[in-house]
Amino acid sequence: AVSGAAETVSELVRDGCAVAYVTNNASRTPGEVAAHLDELGIPAAASEVVTSSQVAVQILRKYAPAGSRVFVVGGAGVEQALLDAGFIASRDPRDCVAVVQGFGPLVSWEDLAQASYLIQAGAIWIATNLDSTFPTQLGIAPGNGSFVAAVRNAVGREPDGVGGKPDRSMMDRAMAVVPAKAPLLVGDRYDTDVAAGIAAGITTMLVLSGVSTPADVWASKIRAGYLGESVQDLITEYIDPLESEDGYSCGEAKAMYLAAESVVRATGGTRLERLRAADSLKWSLVEHVGLDSFAEGQISLDLGE
């Protein structure tokens, strides 16, 4: 578990905050995800978990009736979602009218090849998600999006549907599971988490305890509503950046744009305060210099680290 995550979520739940757990990882069933979270000290029930496999199968219903035979690429999560929805989940490609492709540590070349043959023959193709990478304890590994790209290269077309973030259908399912008047989506990626929240009109908080780094904050072409070091920032006082005559301040930090050096320099305070101030200054400058100036490094960030 990320440091402080179990204590933070437990406190939120004790205070009456409803929590849903949304994951693009299609390899596990909701029950397995909930059990793993519980082992980490994070209170979770299977009914509070939304996986990309569930959403992918929900999309499949638009193309194929229950009872159809579907070829499974991925782990138990994909198979269970199909069975729960009344489909015949098959590891044998014969007579399959659709392919649902998700992540699984045992996905093989043979699986990808059989999926490609079916798709070329006219089968419906639904991907659980397009995450190109998958974080592990040893480092960053290829994710389902990389496997989907391999099939795409073979068949020459895009999937008929994608279930996971950033598609808003996943957020819609989460809101059905845990209705909320003012939901907040907390995640560690811009391309999936923040993008999904924006698509669904949900306020977002990007945390730096996973994939994204301050460099990603600087280069991103979309903006998170809030920035945190980790989920622990959900239960600490949030200090909003304030505009000043020559930049933005946040707590004890201050960010200024030095045009002659093409740099935004943030000083003082904590790293998070400096980053919040710099991010606010960045978005105030976008109208004048354009997003590409930040994404392509034409205007750099100096956090004083």
Side-chain angles (χ1 to χ4, degrees), residues 283-290 293:
W283 287 97
S284 74
L285 293 170
V286 163
E287 182 179 346
H288 305 289
V289 300
S293 297

Side-chain angles (χ1 to χ4, degrees), residues 37-49:
L37 288 169
D38 196 59
E39 289 173 358
L40 297 176
I42 298 172
S47 60
E48 297 169 331
V49 175

Side-chain angles (χ1 to χ4, degrees), residues 240-264:
D240 283 308
L242 299 173
E243 187 174 9
S244 61
E245 289 185 3
D246 54 354
Y248 273 82
S249 62
C250 181
E252 299 300 316
K254 187 169 185 177
M256 295 183 293
Y257 175 46
L258 306 179
E261 300 177 39
S262 295
V263 63
V264 166

Side-chain angles (χ1 to χ4, degrees), residues 3-244:
S3 178
E7 295 80 1
T8 297
V9 179
S10 296
E11 182 173 331
L12 290 171
V13 172
R14 283 196 304 270
D15 289 344
C17 181
V19 181
Y21 304 90
V22 183
T23 176
N24 269 9
N25 186 343
S27 63
R28 294 173 174 170
T29 67
E32 289 172 333
V33 173
H36 181 57
L37 288 169
D38 196 59
E39 289 173 358
L40 297 176
I42 298 172
S47 60
E48 297 169 331
V49 175
V50 177
T51 72
S52 59
S53 289
Q54 292 175 307
V55 182
V57 171
Q58 185 175 303
I59 294 172
L60 178 62
R61 285 174 169 168
K62 301 175 183 177
Y63 296 92
S68 299
R69 185 176 292 275
V70 180
F71 184 60
V72 177
V73 178
V78 178
E79 191 169 353
Q80 189 61 54
L82 285 164
L83 294 172
D84 289 344
F87 290 99
I88 299 172
S90 176
R91 300 284 180 174
D92 184 336
R94 287 177 293 184
D95 300 321
C96 289
V97 301
V99 174
V100 174
Q101 182 179 0
F103 178 80
L106 300 181
V107 170
S108 67
W109 177 89
E110 180 69 18
D111 293 327
L112 301 184
Q114 293 296 345
S116 299
Y117 304 150
L118 285 169
I119 295 163
Q120 290 171 80
I124 299 301
W125 178 26
I126 308 296
T128 60
N129 68 289
L130 298 179
D131 292 9
S132 59
T133 60
F134 184 84
T136 74
Q137 291 182 337
L138 298 177
I140 301 299
N144 192 55
S146 296
F147 297 156
V148 170
V151 175
R152 182 195 297 121
N153 290 339
V155 303
R157 73 175 183 89
E158 298 293 326
D160 296 294
V162 179
K165 302 168 289 182
D167 192 274
R168 70 162 294 157
S169 57
M170 197 164 196
M171 296 301 101
D172 291 339
R173 185 178 180 107
M175 290 302 95
V177 168
V178 182
K181 292 181 180 179
L184 175 67
L185 175 65
V186 183
D188 67 351
R189 299 179 69 124
Y190 276 103
D191 57 345
T192 54
D193 302 322
V194 176
I198 291 172
I202 297 173
T203 302
T204 59
M205 180 177 187
L206 181 88
V207 292
L208 300 173
S209 53
V211 172
S212 292
T213 66
D216 296 313
V217 175
W218 194 243
S220 177
K221 292 189 176 183
I222 58 175
R223 187 181 190 184
Y226 299 97
L227 295 174
E229 289 285 3
S230 74
V231 292
Q232 284 185 284
D233 286 297
L234 288 171
I235 57 173
T236 59
E237 180 184 4
Y238 194 92
I239 303 175
D240 283 308
L242 299 173
E243 187 174 9
S244 61

